[in-house]
Amino acid sequence: MDTTKLLSLLRTSISSKSLLKGKLIHQKVVTLGLQNNIALCKNLINFYFSCHYYHYAKLIFKTLEDSLDLSLWNGLMAAYAKNYMFIEALEVFDRLVLHPFLKPDSYTYPSLLKACGGLGRVGYGQLIHTQLIRTGFVLDVVVASSLVGMYAKCKRFDYGIKVFDEMSERDVASWNTVISCYYQEGQAEKALELFGKMRDSGFEPNSVTLTMVISSCARLLDLERGKEIHEKFVKEGIAFDSYVGSALVDMYGKCGCLEMAREVFDQMPVKNVVAWNALIAGYSSKCDSKSCIELFRRMNEEGVKPTLTTMSCILMSCSRSAKLEHGYVTVGDYFKALALYGDMKESGVKPDAITFTSVLPACSQLAALEKGKEIHKYIAESELETNEIVMGALLDMYAKCGAVDEAFRLENPLSISTMWFSHRKRLLEEDG
């Protein structure tokens, strides 16, 4: 069996992630005495990384550590960085620097900078930056773009923007990184300004760009600009993925344009949890608890697991709705609140302080003491017995259910009674 055939079989094993098949090929490589063949070793390393057998990949490299093929070193660093094994990537670089006959090249630095960014090692990154200036590799667009990304990951946006401004040549990745820098710094207007310059420079935005600029419009509540960007990329035939779709739903929802939010949402072929949450949040902001619950039910039916954000939006919507209607809430709404709490638990979402303070009043109004006691157990398990608002709601429930003795059986009666009175005072102040 020749090298070409073995390489072909190895590549098939990488795509299929067939560990048994790959190991048999590795065994054949050793049997034929081809364990020092660089091309085969590179593919074996990639194969073991694809199967998460990192130790085997490292052993293959160690047998060739004295190899003068720099691409082998770069390939291992890239594989480590891609798999978030940043410390290991730095260790390979440290050994490379000490190699008597090899020097890092432009393919070495992107992986190294990714590792520095992933570990938040801005000091190390700055040393590399100095080296890149000295060697001239900073002029390479991919290296410079990686440098911008490293500074952004380390939250040193000022340095990242400076590197970008000094780049003689740019790519879409570098534009995206700097737009992200401005967005994360809270300068959404600047992010949109840079997007305009990107388009003027002839660069086509990708889904990362569009997600960021639409999110910037959402942050500024700039419906007109967001709509304009949306219409423009639809007209130009730029396809958008679930991330862009989610950002659009969020933007339209935050700007109060729920018809458009729903339209985009309905058009999405794949609806991720972010899109569901964005639409629920949009209806929640309008205190439309009916639509929130309807969406929540659809979400469950379609097998999308809700998050704490989902539940918080629904509970906040119900809470706001109840407050707006003042004491006109029907008994049925309290049953819905308890049913929603049950759905939440069945969905595997862990209740938090907001959940408990929202559901306990339903127990109070329905005098559902047993249900209240059950919730009390979950509060204890969630270690929320030191939360004043939760404990205030719990004590209020016991009092309204006529079980004052139950309340004072808790561990610290003095502090708890203080919580209760402060909770009642807060409620009276809210009622005006």
Side-chain angles (χ1 to χ4, degrees), residues 32 36 52 59 61 68 83 136 142 149 156 174 250 255 287 298 325 338 389 409 416 420 427:
L32 294 170
N36 292 318
H52 307 295
L59 286 174
F61 176 75
L68 297 180
N83 286 275
V142 178
R156 296 305 305 264
S174 60
D250 181 59
C255 293
C287 302
R298 267 187 62 195
E325 291 170 9
L338 291 174
I389 297 173
R409 281 180 196 159
I416 287 169
W420 183 47
L427 289 177

Side-chain angles (χ1 to χ4, degrees), residues 57-107:
K58 191 174 183 180
L59 286 174
I60 291 167
F61 176 75
K62 279 187 80 69
T63 62
L64 294 167
E65 202 165 355
D66 294 328
S67 168
L68 297 180
D69 193 306
L70 183 58
S71 66
L72 187 73
W73 293 73
N74 289 343
L76 185 65
M77 280 184 66
Y80 276 136
K82 187 180 178 182
N83 286 275
Y84 305 98
M85 300 173 72
F86 301 128
I87 291 172
E88 289 82 355
L90 294 184
E91 286 172 353
V92 174
F93 178 75
D94 289 341
R95 291 206 299 275
L96 176 60
V97 170
L98 297 173
H99 199 288
F101 306 113
L102 290 176
K103 286 185 178 178
D105 66 2
S106 61
Y107 294 98

